[in-house]
Amino acid sequence: MALASQKDFFSGLMFMAVGASFAWGATSFEVGTAAKMGPGYFPLMLGILLAILGLIVTVRSLSKGGPGGDKIGAFAWRPLSFVIGANLAFGVLLVGLPSMGIPAFGLIVAVYALVIIASLAQPGFQLKATLVLATILAAGSYLAFVKLLSLQFPVWPSFLTH
């Protein structure tokens, strides 16, 4: 059987795998009932819903369009590397990595690093636009998480606040 859309077929398989993983992982927590939800209820339902969505996308990929349409192109290593690297850098900079001697740099530095590194994923990187975006995101994150939600995590580098 020829695939009408390779993109949809493999996207559907990915959705099913991620959904099934979430649903399976949620079973290690108390699930509860709809009336009295446990900590595993939401991830279980979300995983099941994602797996069903993946099944629908996969089945539809077999019938829509002409055979051989929507082929998968070359794998985008550059964006994948920069986006994953940006998230890792954010986590390390936010709270530090004491086992490697890296101190916590706090929310503001972590947000700037996240935005700058992730922006390198696109061709035509523009430093000015990236810094404007990072400033808006850092200010919004500070306002939302520190001021409005009163979450307790470092805002500035630990070596500046002690």
Side-chain angles (χ1 to χ4, degrees):
M1 175 185 297
L3 294 175
S5 174
Q6 288 182 359
K7 289 180 182 178
D8 287 350
F9 180 78
F10 289 110
S11 295
L13 289 179
M14 181 188 67
F15 285 167
M16 285 192 293
V18 170
S21 297
F22 265 85
W24 180 63
T27 59
S28 64
F29 297 102
E30 182 184 339
V31 176
T33 65
K36 189 172 182 179
M37 298 177 197
Y41 188 85
F42 183 73
L44 176 67
M45 292 301 133
L46 189 63
I48 290 171
L49 186 63
L50 189 59
I52 291 170
L53 177 65
L55 180 64
I56 292 168
V57 169
T58 302
V59 169
R60 290 193 65 207
S61 75
L62 301 174
S63 62
K64 79 170 194 187
D70 270 345
K71 292 191 183 290
I72 295 177
F75 202 78
W77 289 106
R78 178 185 169 105
L80 179 67
S81 301
F82 278 112
V83 170
I84 290 174
N87 284 285
L88 290 173
F90 177 81
V92 168
L93 291 172
L94 181 63
V95 294
L97 202 56
S99 63
M100 295 182 70
I102 300 173
F105 281 83
L107 177 68
I108 304 302
V109 173
V111 167
Y112 271 87
L114 172 80
V115 173
I116 291 169
I117 295 168
S119 294
L120 292 170
Q122 68 180 350
F125 170 77
Q126 295 178 353
L127 182 61
K128 184 178 177 182
T130 301
L131 291 176
V132 168
L133 176 62
T135 302
I136 292 168
L137 188 58
S141 297
Y142 177 77
L143 178 68
F145 298 117
V146 176
K147 290 298 181 188
L148 296 176
L149 294 174
S150 299
L151 296 180
Q152 299 295 316
F153 52 80
V155 175
W156 299 106
S158 60
F159 50 85
L160 293 179
T161 58
H162 287 101

